[in-house]
């Protein structure tokens, strides 16, 4: 990693040497001063959210690029901050929020990231508008699931594999084209050569944490697979991972045992026999991700591959838009834009052998 400035370099050598010695990639990060970030954020005037770590603000660089600034609470351990920055900076993938730089001044620890404008998957799934739930067709759910799985697959396959450790819908952001971007690497880990890491502290979010990790204290890439299985359940049921004392994984297990799993499916997408069969395939995939025996769980490479096969089998009737409705389509040359409520889904079309073929931008062919 190429850090700019002696003080910047010294900070990471002092507080992150144990991680630095295990990284392979070399990405440049910009060093920001506290005054520069005050200017960028207009003195922290626009809040994007907050959490146990601190607050997130919207800002704008001198070239007018919008950014998100994560400002850590005073008292944050420098070693934990350095680890997050170093681990995040190793990942160069279109479906991971890009880290641009950070501030390492005393009592002013902050990171600067690209700004992702359309909220997160949790909001789409569970926060409706005045008209009810936000329309969310099955093909779009699959597209988001596939690209998220591919990002995790890439992270797990790196020279120094990266375990995210906190996969959940709230950490899957959606950009202007509603492509997913994994975020929040606060508890991410670089895995050892044996692809496992022991920790004394249980980390992650209730409802998504691998129960095997809770028992053993050992983190592996299969811990992310378990969490992703919960996300798949949320995407096909539109139910929260935990809702009061109710656990989605427990409800799912009981439904599988009683062969009543179809009753859990979101009625918006379970509207014909063909789709129900494909949703059942997603449910079966989720079930394998949720197996208690981690060796029985698939890898994220296998998860992404199975999701792509399901996506390919998804029927699309002639004359029907990718959103399942016929109004609100705008044709603009090589692009088709479908507007649903305030949500915009975007696809690229390419001309091959006399026909227009639909592909997902920056992704794999649908």
């Amino acid at each position: 990693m190429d850090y700019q400035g002696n003080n910047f370099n010294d900070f990471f050598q002092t507080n992150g040497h144990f991680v630095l010695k295990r990284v392979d990639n070399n990405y440049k990060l910009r060093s920001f001063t506290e005054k520069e970030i005050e200017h960028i954020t207009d003195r922290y005037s626009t809040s994007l959210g907050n959490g146990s770590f601190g607050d997130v603000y919207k800002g704008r660089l001198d070239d007018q690029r919008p950014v998100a600034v994560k400002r850590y609470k005073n008292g944050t351990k420098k070693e934990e901050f350095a680890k997050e920055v170093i681990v995040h900076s190793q990942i160069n993938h279109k479906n991971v929020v890009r880290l641009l730089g950070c501030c390492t001044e005393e009592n002013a620890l902050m990171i600067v990231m690209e700004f992702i404008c359309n909220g997160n998957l949790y909001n789409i799934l569970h926060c409706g508008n005045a008209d009810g739930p936000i329309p969310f067709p099955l093909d779009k759910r699959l597209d988001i699931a596939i690209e998220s799985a591919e990002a995790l697959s890439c992270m797990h396959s790196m020279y120094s594999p990266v375990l995210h450790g906190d996969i959940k819908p709230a950490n899957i952001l959606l950009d202007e084209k509603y492509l997913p971007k994994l975020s929040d690497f606060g508890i991410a880990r670089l895995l050892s050569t044996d692809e496992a890491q022991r920790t004394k502290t249980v980390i992650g979010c209730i409802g998504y944490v691998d129960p095997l990790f809770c028992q053993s204290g050992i983190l592996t890439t299969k811990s992310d697979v378990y969490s992703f299985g919960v996300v798949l359940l949320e995407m096909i049921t539109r139910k929260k991972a935990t809702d009061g004392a109710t656990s989605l994984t427990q409800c799912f297990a009981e439904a599988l045992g009683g062969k009543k799993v179809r009753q859990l499916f979101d009625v918006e997408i379970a509207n014909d026999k063909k789709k129900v069969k494909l949703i059942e395939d997603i449910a079966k995939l989720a079930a394998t991700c949720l197996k208690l025996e981690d060796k029985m769980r698939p890898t994220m490479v296998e998860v992404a591959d199975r999701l792509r096969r399901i996506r390919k089998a998804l029927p699309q009737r002639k004359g029907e838009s990718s959103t399942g409705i016929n109004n609100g389509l705008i044709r603009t040359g090589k692009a088709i834009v479908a507007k649903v409520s305030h949500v915009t889904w975007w696809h690229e079309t390419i001309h091959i052998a006399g026909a227009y073929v639909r592909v997902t931008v920056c992704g794999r062919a649908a």
Side-chain angles (χ1 to χ4, degrees), residues 210-212 215 226 288-295 297:
D210 180 3
L212 192 61
Q215 295 171 14
Y226 181 92
T288 63
C289 293
L290 297 172
K291 286 185 177 293
L292 292 180
E293 179 68 34
D294 61 347
K295 293 181 181 179
R297 298 173 194 165

Side-chain angles (χ1 to χ4, degrees), residues 217-275:
I218 297 176
L219 286 166
T220 72
T221 54
K222 296 298 182 71
S223 305
D224 277 347
V225 173
Y226 181 92
S227 301
F228 191 79
V230 181
V231 173
L232 286 179
L233 287 187
E234 285 191 74
M235 295 183 80
I236 62 175
T237 65
R238 216 160 188 172
K239 299 180 187 299
K240 297 178 181 179
T242 56
D243 194 355
T246 303
S247 163
L248 179 56
T249 53
Q250 183 61 37
C251 291
F252 178 65
E254 292 172 358
L256 279 178
K259 298 183 179 180
K260 296 180 180 179
V261 70
R262 289 188 178 187
Q263 296 177 13
L264 290 177
F265 296 162
D266 180 11
V267 293
E268 180 193 347
I269 57 174
N271 51 18
D272 65 51
K273 290 183 178 180
K274 179 67 174 179
K275 286 184 179 178

